[in-house]
């Protein structure tokens, strides 16, 4: 267990804390939960940076890091869908969560074929993640009333959902020769 892995574990442990803060009946709970989420999102960058810088990449870290990210984002989206209860948030949330399931399954399947590199994380995925994290921080920090900031959060979440679909299509196109070949063998 090294420092980058401990930071990743911390990110997972922060999830119940930001849930608890989100549901507290105080006016500051939105900002508190958004702050914990933002801190956790920053640790995603930090653990990767330290793992590369200190040459401490491990199989455990390579497994847990994307799991921690997906858990954190899915939980935030579920909380926000429940709180906002509208199409502007529910549709992009379904797209984002659905894409994560599809791409995770695709990566697992491609790894079984020994072709995982064909569906490695791209720069588009990094832009998607940045838009998504900023949108989630903004939406977690504000009550569900239609305000300027909530509308900015919705807009960024829609951009993130569009980038999510685009990146999923790119991953599927990269994997298509393997999918097609396997289907032709049967």
């Amino acid at each position: 267990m090294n420092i980058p892995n401990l930071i990743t574990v911390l990110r997972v442990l922060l999830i119940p804390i930001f849930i608890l803060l989100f549901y507290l009946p105080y006016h500051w709970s939105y900002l508190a939960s958004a702050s914990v989420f933002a801190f956790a999102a920053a640790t995603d960058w930090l653990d990767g940076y330290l793992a590369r810088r200190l040459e401490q990449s491990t199989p455990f870290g390579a497994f847990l890091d994307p799991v921690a990210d997906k858990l954190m984002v899915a939980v935030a989206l579920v909380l926000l869908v429940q709180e906002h209860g509208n199409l502007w948030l529910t549709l992009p949330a379904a797209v984002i969560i659905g894409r994560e399931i599809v791409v995770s399954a695709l990566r697992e399947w491609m790894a079984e074929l020994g072709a995982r590199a064909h569906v490695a994380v791209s720069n588009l995925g990094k832009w998607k993640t940045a838009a998504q994290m900023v949108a989630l921080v903004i939406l977690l920090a504000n009550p569900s009333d239609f305000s300027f900031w909530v509308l900015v959060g919705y807009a960024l979440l829609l951009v993130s959902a569009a980038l999510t679909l685009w990146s999923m299509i790119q991953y599927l196109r990269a994997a298509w020769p393997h999918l097609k070949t396997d289907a032709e063998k049967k």
Side-chain angles (χ1 to χ4, degrees):
M1 191 58 81
N2 57 33
I3 292 171
N5 288 348
L6 287 172
I7 293 171
T8 303
V9 169
L10 172 65
R11 188 160 64 254
V12 173
L13 295 175
L14 287 173
I15 293 170
I17 295 168
F18 103 77
I19 294 170
L20 176 67
L21 289 170
F22 185 83
Y23 282 115
L24 286 177
Y26 302 111
H27 70 280
W28 50 263
S29 68
Y30 293 108
L31 191 55
S33 67
S35 297
V36 170
F37 182 88
F39 176 76
T43 67
D44 179 29
W45 172 83
L46 180 63
D47 64 13
Y49 172 78
L50 289 175
R52 287 184 300 276
R53 175 94 173 151
L54 302 174
E55 297 180 6
Q56 293 183 345
S57 296
T58 64
F60 176 72
F63 159 74
L64 189 59
D65 184 64
V67 170
D69 299 342
K70 287 167 184 40
L71 283 173
M72 193 174 75
V73 168
V75 167
L77 287 168
V78 168
L79 291 174
L80 289 166
V81 165
Q82 181 265 324
E83 176 82 9
H84 289 243
N86 63 48
L87 182 66
W88 297 106
L89 205 132
T90 303
L91 184 60
V95 166
I96 291 166
I97 292 171
R99 180 263 189 199
E100 293 304 335
I101 292 168
V102 168
V103 171
S104 293
L106 181 65
R107 285 184 177 142
E108 181 180 334
W109 183 75
M110 293 292 284
E112 286 180 23
L113 296 178
R116 175 119 166 60
H118 292 275
V119 287
V121 176
S122 68
N123 282 334
L124 179 60
K126 294 177 192 251
W127 283 103
K128 176 221 32 127
T129 300
Q132 183 175 274
M133 293 305 187
V134 172
L136 292 175
V137 168
I138 289 170
L139 291 167
L140 286 167
N142 291 281
S144 61
D145 307 329
F146 278 103
S147 67
F148 171 78
W149 286 110
V150 168
L151 292 176
V152 168
Y154 286 171
L156 283 171
L157 199 60
L158 286 169
V159 166
S160 174
L163 292 173
T164 293
L165 285 174
W166 187 11
S167 69
M168 182 180 74
I169 290 167
Q170 284 188 328
Y171 289 132
L172 289 170
R173 288 177 73 199
W176 184 249
H178 299 282
L179 293 166
K180 187 176 159 191
T181 302
D182 192 50
E184 290 172 353
K185 289 179 184 176
K186 293 182 178 180

